[in-house]
Amino acid sequence: MADLTPADMASKLLAEGFQRQSPVARALSDPIADTPMVVTLDELRSYELDPRITRNPLYDEIKASIRERGLDAPPPITRRPDADHYIIRNGGNTRLAILRELWSETKDERFFRISCLFRPWPERGEIIALTGHLAENELHGGLTFIERALGIEKARELYEQEVGKPLSQSELARRLAADGYPIQQSHISRMQDTVRYLLPAIPNVLYGGLGRHQVERLAVLRKAAEWAWETRVHGKVQPTDFDTLFHEVLAQFDAQPDDFTAQRVQDELIGQMSDLLGIDYNALELDIVNVEGRQRAVNSPPTLPAETPAPPSSSNPASASQLPASAPPPGTAAAPPSRQTGEASKESQPRPAAKQAPPPEAPPMLPPAQAAPEDEENQRLQDHIVSPATSTERLQAIQQLVAEHTGEDRPDFRDNVLRAIPVQAGGLFPITDVWYIEPGLDTPEGLRTHIAQFAREIAEEAQLADCIGASDAGLGFVCLAPRTAALPPFGRAVLALLQAMGHGAEPPAGARRDPFPLETALGTLLLGSAPATMPRLSDTGLVKLFRLLRLARRLLDLEADASDASSG
């Protein structure tokens, strides 16, 4: 080997050091497991898709606490593959902004270098990060309605990129719940209407903190006014269309967000519609108010009166837990408090006593002085669980927080065991109460999805889930003939039972039905027999059948209401 000259030696000493520039080296530079580390403010940035846009209402309190105590709860951080900086993983953008502000004010090193927990970037990183920020913001300071709406709209875009197709509102709600941010489908509908119709017209009002109830009032007003406009235009040429008119009217009220009220918007909108359509203001207002009332009757639970009912007759002790706050007259359908989901318009109508089914028997509620011992309560709780519907404490806490924020009265399984119809069963759509229908489920699309799933799970007990097909008509499913003609009696009975209920939707052309006489096996299918001639439905299957019936009855009621509204 030739001797190095002084010039060669100098060039080697001045050469750049080894650099880890390959993609593999950069990917391996981050830990592959949760790891505590110290980072500086220069290395850490806020999450770009953070749903919080406005200032955190607790900003000053959080800043005062960090100034005095330091950062007691450092936010978790992560880093995208190939990125050169860390980001907040879920929640903590407010704390990061405060640290930057305190560092600028004090130059105190404890605000510049912070100990954080690094968590590796997950496979579904963007979706997990966004839903994590949504959930954490709900727990720490809350979000305005428009911030939540924009966050969910961004989540929808990410989910659709992931699956490669558009998502329905019910599917979006299911995916959000699976990723730790449960929200009702009806709220998603309102949020999408807000982003599409309200945000372009009143951004200042919405970012100023306009609440859910005002937003819902505007959404219902827009739909009712649009219906009134379309029914009166009848193809006549107008100088503007309804969407433009609504936008122009609403935009007038964005200049003074502090004085904003939905009633003022309604007055101005009806006034301009009256002038354009040449219709009396009062007549137009009456039509719009009537349509608004019908929409609320279908989409919202009724408000219960505050009066306390008279004590029930001692001959029916269970009635104490079954009557609502204002007891209906004899022959009127009654339901437990907070159990009605938009059925006031139908259930409040008196019905002949001869056609009224007797209320289900339920154990009387025990007064506090006679409360059952804890062991007995736990035993009774277990007696009502046929298959566990598991959930995490964190998910339950977020669900409860969202329910309190939206004003929903969530049923509690343990609290309701002694007074409603609580039976628990697991599955794709877990059941903790046979009767209660969540507002987000109370749409024909949502009901059909659940009904079809319960039908498949019931058929699965006979290994015949592939004989249940989805349908957009009827109850949401159709029964198809099995691939093999030789079925045991249990399988034929299950299919015959579902076929008898799935009226209104015809199977595909060419599909044949099994003419099994259901009356010969219905009792054995539901009750069993001694000696056993064929299996009976399991307890889980029976609960799902009860739930299917409850949802099917509600679906038919909704369609009857819609038919009455269109014919009226």
Side-chain angles (χ1 to χ4, degrees):
M1 178 177 180
D3 294 335
L4 294 176
T5 66
D8 293 336
M9 182 68 71
S11 64
K12 289 183 177 293
L13 291 174
L14 294 175
E16 292 186 3
F18 174 73
Q19 300 292 328
R20 302 171 67 184
Q21 296 294 337
S22 70
V24 174
R26 285 199 299 272
L28 293 177
S29 63
D30 287 332
I32 61 175
D34 293 358
T35 305
M37 62 171 54
V38 176
V39 296
T40 66
L41 294 182
D42 293 339
E43 299 174 298
L44 183 59
R45 298 182 186 176
S46 60
Y47 178 57
E48 302 87 339
L49 302 181
D50 183 22
R52 186 185 297 284
I53 300 173
T54 58
R55 179 185 173 94
N56 190 323
L58 301 177
Y59 188 94
D60 292 335
E61 291 86 342
I62 298 173
K63 181 177 179 181
S65 174
I66 294 177
R67 181 192 297 273
E68 296 299 326
R69 300 170 50 86
L71 194 60
D72 287 337
I77 63 174
T78 188
R79 179 154 59 181
R80 294 186 179 93
D82 301 328
D84 58 359
H85 61 273
Y86 300 100
I87 60 172
I88 302 295
R89 187 178 188 273
N90 55 282
N93 291 287
T94 295
R95 283 169 282 173
L96 179 58
I98 290 173
L99 288 171
R100 294 189 186 282
E101 193 172 300
L102 289 173
W103 165 248
S104 176
E105 294 172 358
T106 67
K107 298 302 179 182
D108 190 332
E109 191 73 11
R110 66 193 177 113
F111 300 134
F112 182 71
R113 298 182 185 277
I114 55 177
S115 299
C116 296
L117 177 66
F118 175 86
R119 307 191 69 178
W121 185 256
E123 181 180 356
R124 302 171 62 242
E126 295 295 348
I127 292 176
I128 299 301
L130 179 55
T131 53
H133 278 274
L134 282 167
E136 288 296 327
N137 277 305
E138 289 289 357
L139 294 173
H140 299 94
L143 296 170
T144 63
F145 188 89
I146 187 60
E147 287 173 334
R148 192 181 301 108
L150 290 172
I152 290 177
E153 184 67 12
K154 184 60 181 179
R156 179 188 62 79
E157 294 176 8
L158 295 177
Y159 282 124
E160 290 181 349
Q161 291 174 10
E162 182 181 46
V163 301
K165 64 178 182 179
L167 295 180
S168 65
Q169 293 175 358
S170 58
E171 177 64 14
L172 175 58
R174 188 189 69 79
R175 290 177 178 272
L176 286 168
D179 285 328
Y181 188 69
I183 189 167
Q184 298 173 4
Q185 181 269 330
S186 60
H187 293 167
I188 293 177
S189 175
R190 289 284 186 257
M191 289 173 178
Q192 291 182 348
D193 285 348
T194 301
V195 173
R196 179 178 179 183
Y197 299 111
L198 305 187
L199 182 59
I202 51 171
N204 293 326
V205 171
L206 288 171
Y207 287 126
L210 190 67
R212 179 179 67 91
H213 295 294
Q214 287 274 61
V215 169
E216 289 184 349
R217 172 82 186 277
L218 289 174
V220 172
L221 169 63
R222 191 196 67 80
K223 289 185 178 180
E226 184 180 29
W227 174 87
W229 175 276
E230 295 295 337
T231 57
R232 285 168 172 77
V233 168
H234 293 305
K236 299 177 183 177
V237 178
Q238 293 292 336
T240 184
D241 58 17
F242 177 79
D243 287 341
T244 302
L245 173 65
F246 183 80
H247 176 89
E248 292 177 349
V249 169
L250 191 58
Q252 300 175 25
F253 298 91
D254 194 43
Q256 299 176 337
D258 294 339
D259 299 329
F260 183 88
T261 63
Q263 184 60 48
R264 293 178 60 195
V265 176
Q266 176 175 304
D267 294 341
E268 180 66 21
L269 179 63
I270 294 177
Q272 293 201 25
M273 288 177 61
S274 175
D275 293 339
L276 289 170
L277 298 174
I279 298 174
D280 178 70
Y281 177 97
N282 293 327
L284 190 59
E285 179 184 31
L286 181 61
D287 285 350
I288 290 177
V289 170
N290 286 340
V291 174
E292 286 179 324
R294 286 199 293 269
Q295 289 188 48
R296 291 193 183 96
V298 171
N299 296 324
S300 303
T303 301
L304 296 176
E307 294 80 13
T308 302
S313 170
S314 59
S315 61
N316 186 8
S319 62
S321 61
Q322 297 294 328
L323 290 177
S326 179
T332 302
S338 76
R339 295 287 169 194
Q340 297 299 314
T341 53
E343 299 184 35
S345 59
K346 293 188 70 66
E347 295 297 332
S348 60
Q349 299 297 325
R351 299 178 183 176
K355 297 182 180 180
Q356 181 64 32
E361 292 294 331
M365 290 185 64
L366 298 177
Q370 302 176 9
E374 183 177 355
D375 290 344
E376 183 178 340
E377 290 184 359
N378 290 335
Q379 181 59 46
R380 182 167 298 197
L381 180 71
Q382 294 303 318
D383 289 344
H384 283 76
I385 299 176
V386 296
S387 61
T390 57
S391 181
T392 64
E393 292 184 2
R394 176 177 175 78
L395 178 59
Q396 292 174 352
I398 294 175
Q399 289 175 331
Q400 184 61 35
L401 187 67
V402 173
E404 291 175 358
H405 183 78
T406 57
E408 179 192 359
D409 183 14
R410 280 187 57 80
D412 184 87
F413 178 70
R414 175 180 288 275
D415 291 344
N416 290 337
V417 159
L418 299 178
R419 58 187 173 92
I421 316 177
V423 181
Q424 190 174 123
L428 180 59
F429 301 123
I431 302 169
T432 56
D433 192 307
V434 172
W435 193 255
Y436 176 74
I437 299 177
E438 300 83 353
L441 170 60
D442 199 27
T443 64
E445 180 188 22
L447 292 171
R448 285 192 175 95
T449 299
H450 280 65
I451 290 170
Q453 179 61 30
F454 288 136
R456 279 190 289 270
E457 292 179 7
I458 293 170
E460 180 60 31
E461 294 202 6
Q463 287 76 49
L464 295 174
D466 57 347
C467 294
I468 304 300
S471 172
D472 293 331
L475 298 186
F477 72 92
V478 292
C479 294
L480 310 175
R483 297 173 182 175
T484 174
L487 283 180
F490 177 66
R492 299 184 69 192
V494 169
L495 279 186
L497 175 62
L498 295 174
Q499 179 178 305
M501 290 186 296
H503 66 285
E506 293 297 327
R512 56 188 180 85
R513 295 193 180 211
D514 185 5
F516 183 75
L518 183 61
E519 63 272 12
T520 62
L522 181 61
T524 304
L525 179 65
L526 299 179
L527 305 177
S529 62
T533 57
M534 76 173 190
R536 68 179 182 182
L537 277 180
S538 68
D539 289 344
T540 298
L542 190 62
V543 173
K544 291 174 181 177
L545 176 62
F546 290 156
R547 182 63 171 170
L548 186 155
L549 292 172
R550 164 63 173 151
L551 299 183
R553 289 159 63 96
R554 176 59 182 156
L555 173 61
L556 295 177
D557 287 345
L558 283 181
E559 293 190 328
D561 286 344
S563 177
D564 293 343
S566 61
S567 62

